[in-house]
Amino acid sequence: MKAYWYDDVPGDQREEHDSGRSVSEEILSNLGVFYRSCPSISSVDTLASERSYKNRDEIIVSPQSMGSQYESKVKMFFNEHLHEDEEIRYILDGQGFFDVRDGGDSWIRIRVEKNDLVILPAGLYHRFTTDSKNYIKAMRLFKDEPKWTPLNRDPGLDGNVFRKTYLDSLDPKARMT
């Protein structure tokens, strides 16, 4: 995992967009983002048990697995959104990027690769894309039945109970990032 401030330079979302300014795991943690390197599935199983994740599946995001829908799906994943559940991803192969909003509404880019496990809290605005190799295989973990329901950013979401709970839970340091 490598985290840094997104450079906001126009261009393909799958490029690095590395500003050269790194972001520490502490800053991510202050935003509620959980990261762990899990070199074996047993470490994922242990975490799943600790956090009461009951279900899981695997997804491959690539032109080969998604066919003609690939480009539209990658664009959909890159729309800024939040979820009313945690988003848990364990990377099995390939690479990609999760972009998350900091307390000042700037983007932080998190590069994930094999053995990285990332948990984004419910209510956090984020987006996802593959890298320029257009391939990632990930395990998705869920507390209940598998679902992926994005709520695209909109002023009406300011009143969403999960968004409010997330903002209320932020470490004061994260609000000033």
Side-chain angles (χ1 to χ4, degrees):
M1 186 275 300
K2 176 182 175 184
Y4 50 88
W5 300 101
Y6 189 84
D7 67 11
D8 287 320
V9 173
D12 191 317
Q13 68 196 38
R14 292 167 277 209
E15 297 301 324
E16 294 286 325
H17 289 281
D18 189 342
S19 66
R21 299 178 3 228
S22 65
V23 172
S24 69
E25 284 186 42
E26 179 183 5
I27 289 173
L28 293 176
S29 179
N30 289 342
L31 293 170
V33 176
F34 177 91
Y35 167 78
R36 183 175 291 168
S37 176
C38 295
S40 69
I41 198 68
S42 64
S43 54
V44 175
D45 293 339
T46 299
L47 183 94
S49 177
E50 290 169 358
R51 295 180 70 103
S52 301
Y53 301 142
K54 299 177 188 125
N55 291 299
R56 59 183 73 183
D57 67 12
E58 292 182 7
I59 183 170
I60 297 174
V61 180
S62 72
Q64 293 75 22
S65 67
M66 298 177 140
S68 62
Q69 294 183 355
Y70 173 73
E71 288 296 331
S72 64
K73 286 286 189 184
V74 168
K75 285 184 174 108
M76 181 186 74
F77 297 152
F78 201 65
N79 284 329
E80 183 176 3
H81 62 278
L82 61 80
H83 300 285
E84 294 183 340
D85 298 298
E86 290 180 328
E87 182 163 337
I88 307 101
R89 299 293 181 268
Y90 174 58
I91 309 306
L92 298 164
D93 196 18
Q95 299 172 340
F97 302 106
F98 282 99
D99 297 338
V100 299
R101 288 287 189 184
D102 74 353
D105 219 27
S106 295
W107 286 114
I108 294 173
R109 176 154 274 198
I110 305 167
R111 180 180 188 80
V112 291
E113 59 189 17
K114 186 176 181 178
N115 298 330
D116 287 342
L117 185 136
V118 176
I119 302 173
L120 306 181
L124 171 68
Y125 283 120
H126 66 281
R127 60 191 185 189
F128 172 79
T129 189
T130 57
D131 70 1
S132 59
K133 294 177 185 164
N134 295 310
Y135 175 82
I136 194 165
K137 180 179 181 181
M139 177 186 294
R140 306 184 305 173
L141 294 98
F142 306 92
K143 288 194 177 194
D144 295 307
E145 291 303 310
K147 69 176 181 175
W148 186 84
T149 307
L151 302 174
N152 288 339
R153 189 165 186 173
D154 176 276
L157 275 180
D158 292 342
N160 177 286
V161 68
F162 295 92
R163 178 70 178 156
K164 284 182 171 183
T165 300
Y166 168 71
L167 292 173
D168 290 346
S169 74
L170 279 180
D171 183 306
K173 294 178 203 168
R175 294 176 192 267
M176 295 183 264
T177 311

